[in-house]
Amino acid sequence: MRQIKSEMKISLPLQKQVYAAFFVVILSLVRVVIYSDEIGIALEAPVAILTMTFCADTYTQEITGRRSEIQRLYPMRKRICSIYRRIIIQDIFLLVMASAGYGLFFLFQNPQTGRLDQSSLESETGSFIVYLAAVAVTIGFWGLLSNLLSCLFRNMWMGIAGCLILWLITNSSVGDRYLGAWNLFSYSFRKLENNGDFSWICGKIVCICIGIMVVTVLPVIIEKRG
């Protein structure tokens, strides 16, 4: 437990918590939605940006904080486990923020519910559960990728830049046109009028598969790049 508290103190400093909360509040105020099933679309791509900036320094902060020499004294397994614990802690925090953001849209904008004459409570509960699953994958993917690129270049800004390029490509009409259901943001580009179409899950499967590869490769990069 003491180790978890120590990792939380390092990976979730107050300033990061404040700017994440501020980001979610501002987004829920300025991003206009008409129907409640548009909330997930309004949140997913911005949450991806928040995640890549939030998680990019998970390991590089050891370098900027001049703790890398001390880190190298630890066994590699302990160093890797420490990084993964920090990523998990950050992902859980961001998932809580994303969930809170969903509620804030209702609080600030009061969007219409039951677009397709479905039972409102059942429909909204189902939509939120689907959103939660989709955004959890999104947070996990972009958090791992930004950390991987930051470790590779030993610079968090390079990690953010690399992720941002991929974000711009996939979160666009071009990405939707050429990747379709396999797009990383397939959830955001899904057809709202067809609730029975879950082909967008293919895009999330792609995220999960890439995430597994990143988890496999990350220890090698940390060992080589230090």
Side-chain angles (χ1 to χ4, degrees):
M1 183 60 70
R2 183 181 299 176
Q3 197 172 36
I4 296 296
K5 288 183 178 179
S6 175
E7 299 293 9
M8 288 181 66
K9 185 177 180 180
I10 294 172
S11 57
L12 291 178
L14 180 60
Q15 65 269 23
K16 290 181 76 171
Q17 296 182 49
V18 170
Y19 91 68
F22 182 77
F23 180 93
V24 171
V25 170
I26 295 300
L27 178 64
S28 62
L29 284 170
V30 302
R31 179 66 161 84
V32 178
V33 299
I34 305 299
Y35 292 97
S36 59
D37 55 7
E38 298 171 356
I39 296 176
I41 296 174
L43 278 167
E44 187 188 22
V47 166
I49 289 183
L50 174 62
T51 301
M52 68 179 73
T53 56
F54 198 92
C55 298
D57 69 340
T58 304
Y59 182 71
T60 58
Q61 62 182 315
E62 300 295 341
I63 299 172
T64 57
R66 299 180 180 179
R67 296 189 295 265
S68 58
E69 295 302 323
I70 298 176
Q71 279 280 322
R72 289 182 182 182
L73 298 177
Y74 295 140
M76 180 55 61
R77 180 180 176 82
K78 184 175 181 179
R79 292 169 61 188
I80 298 300
C81 288
S82 176
I83 294 300
Y84 285 147
R85 277 195 298 269
R86 294 179 192 180
I87 292 174
I88 291 171
I89 289 169
Q90 290 174 328
D91 285 355
I92 292 173
F93 173 78
L94 290 169
L95 186 58
V96 171
M97 288 292 99
S99 302
Y102 197 96
L104 287 175
F105 270 93
F106 280 98
L107 178 64
F108 295 140
Q109 301 193 34
N110 192 27
Q112 299 179 41
T113 60
R115 181 199 293 259
L116 299 177
D117 296 326
Q118 300 165 317
S119 171
S120 292
L121 180 59
E122 180 182 345
S123 175
E124 294 308 319
T125 303
S127 295
F128 177 70
I129 292 173
V130 170
Y131 159 77
L132 209 58
V135 81
V137 174
T138 297
I139 290 171
F141 171 79
W142 291 101
L144 283 168
L145 184 62
S146 65
N147 192 50
L148 174 73
L149 295 177
S150 296
C151 288
L152 183 62
F153 295 105
R154 292 177 63 85
N155 186 302
M156 65 171 285
W157 297 110
M158 291 296 292
I160 293 172
C163 286
L164 188 58
I165 291 172
L166 180 61
W167 185 93
L168 289 170
I169 294 171
T170 53
N171 186 41
S172 67
S173 57
V174 174
D176 181 42
R177 184 183 309 120
Y178 288 101
L179 298 175
W182 299 97
N183 190 357
L184 301 178
F185 290 106
S186 55
Y187 172 78
S188 293
F189 287 104
R190 74 195 191 283
K191 295 180 180 179
L192 294 178
E193 63 274 10
N194 186 4
N195 284 344
D197 181 15
F198 285 94
S199 60
W200 57 266
I201 291 177
C202 295
K204 296 307 166 188
I205 292 175
V206 171
C207 290
I208 292 171
C209 290
I210 296 176
I212 292 172
M213 288 190 288
V214 170
V215 169
T216 304
V217 172
L218 189 58
V220 179
I221 292 178
I222 292 176
E223 186 174 8
K224 290 184 178 297
R225 299 291 289 169

